[in-house]
Amino acid sequence: PAGAGFSYSTNPNDYKNPKVLNDRQVALDTASAVEFFFEKEFPSLKTSPVYIAGESYGGHFVAELADLLVQRAARLPFVVRGMMSGNPVLDLAINNWGIFFNTWSHGVIPLSLWEELQHNCDFAKSMGIYGNGCTIDQDPKCVSAVNRWLQITNNIVLYNYNSDTCKTPQDTPKRGTHANPLHDPCISNHIKTYLNQPTVRKALFVSLSALPWTLCSAETNANYNCTDIFSSMIPIYERLLRGDHKFRILLYSGLADGVVPFVATQQVVNKLVERKFGL
């Protein structure tokens, strides 16, 4: 969406507008960019099979884009053969359950807290853990349990359980002190510094209208359409699997990601298998 990465809008109000920051608009904009890429920029690649890939909330973006392009297949100058999503957000109710289960199964939180979360929380509603602007409508006991969960997990990297925590100041181009010399826990800070250098932006043909690059846009996240965030991608995956266009789908998850955990992906895949094959 506008505001993520180097994507931008000529209207500054779009960065705060859920009518612009939504799955459908992202699919439409990306489809236009893909079609332009093949029709105008690189027509010689039209005969190449196209595969769409993404990760994290890209589980939404990839599915919505693939669904749209398959619907347009008859008039497209290229053929979309498949898609893949890594540690993808596919159904937030399942993902919410997975996040808390994963912290318990990894020994991060005690069993008593996990039981409190299960008993008092509605995982199909906003939990207040993603930094978005979605209204938190949970039982006070759930809110209390989530706050304790946040305190416990504050000093670990939920995106990678095996990672050290970056202790250097934001954007300081120094390696953090860590046990693994092959891994830099502050790499996100270094990437941000690198991509925002004027020479790098120029080399990448980044528009002067684009905002400074950041790993995750707080403004875009806070204003993204909440209805879309909580919509399940399972019906779209079912539709793509039912088609006769031999569409190929790869879903994969690593075990170290605690924000979009393997157990959530596994649950969704199980549902798809049950509905498609009756297993």
Side-chain angles (χ1 to χ4, degrees):
F6 286 128
S7 299
Y8 69 95
S9 173
T10 55
N11 182 354
N13 293 324
D14 286 348
Y15 300 123
K16 300 179 180 180
N17 187 356
K19 292 183 179 180
V20 174
L21 302 175
N22 59 74
D23 288 359
R24 180 63 178 175
Q25 191 60 53
V26 172
L28 290 170
D29 290 345
T30 309
S32 296
V34 172
E35 290 181 38
F36 182 84
F37 178 90
F38 285 104
E39 290 180 340
K40 304 295 184 181
E41 294 294 321
F42 299 97
S44 62
L45 298 178
K46 287 181 181 180
T47 57
S48 300
V50 176
Y51 294 88
I52 305 166
E55 57 86 37
S56 194
Y57 196 80
H60 276 232
F61 296 151
V62 168
E64 298 268 10
L65 176 60
D67 193 40
L68 179 60
L69 292 178
V70 167
Q71 292 173 33
R72 295 180 177 182
R75 69 173 180 81
L76 291 178
F78 55 88
V79 179
V80 181
R81 295 294 187 191
M83 55 174 276
M84 64 179 182
S85 293
N87 285 78
V89 176
L90 302 171
D91 185 296
L92 203 63
I94 295 174
N95 201 78
N96 279 341
W97 169 86
I99 287 177
F100 296 108
F101 171 84
N102 220 41
T103 49
W104 168 69
S105 66
H106 278 71
V108 177
I109 64 172
L111 176 61
S112 58
L113 180 53
W114 169 226
E115 290 177 337
E116 277 189 63
L117 290 162
Q118 292 180 88
H119 183 72
N120 297 306
C121 297
D122 182 349
F123 295 127
K125 296 180 180 179
S126 175
M127 306 290 292
I129 59 176
Y130 297 107
N132 56 42
C134 301
T135 301
I136 301 173
D137 182 21
Q138 296 284 356
D139 184 284
K141 292 181 180 179
C142 172
V143 174
S144 175
V146 170
N147 285 337
R148 276 182 284 133
W149 179 88
L150 288 169
Q151 290 175 348
I152 293 173
T153 60
N154 184 54
N155 290 318
I156 65 174
V157 182
L158 287 177
Y159 285 97
N160 181 358
Y161 280 121
N162 300 324
S163 173
D164 296 311
T165 302
C166 178
K167 296 297 185 181
T168 59
Q170 184 74 9
D171 292 335
T172 299
K174 298 178 180 177
R175 292 183 64 83
T177 300
H178 48 81
N180 184 357
L182 300 179
H183 170 66
D184 184 351
C186 300
I187 190 170
S188 296
N189 294 343
H190 310 331
I191 292 173
K192 179 179 178 180
T193 301
Y194 174 76
L195 289 177
N196 283 315
Q197 293 182 77
T199 52
V200 174
R201 289 170 65 98
K202 183 178 180 180
L204 294 174
F205 301 98
V206 175
S207 171
L208 295 176
S209 300
L211 300 174
W213 189 93
T214 184
L215 185 64
C216 183
S217 170
E219 185 174 45
T220 299
N221 188 34
N223 292 286
Y224 202 83
N225 188 291
C226 287
T227 300
D228 285 358
I229 290 175
F230 282 91
S231 63
S232 174
M233 294 295 102
I234 292 177
I236 293 180
Y237 278 80
E238 287 184 309
R239 186 158 59 244
L240 291 170
L241 288 169
R242 282 198 305 265
D244 58 1
H245 39 73
K246 298 180 180 179
F247 196 81
R248 307 183 71 180
I249 297 176
L250 170 64
L251 298 177
Y252 62 96
S253 287
L255 296 175
D257 187 350
V259 176
V260 191
F262 161 77
V263 289
T265 306
Q266 185 180 55
Q267 290 280 351
V268 172
V269 170
N270 288 343
K271 285 181 178 293
L272 289 170
V273 171
E274 289 171 3
R275 296 183 185 185
K276 182 173 175 59
F277 302 106
L279 300 177

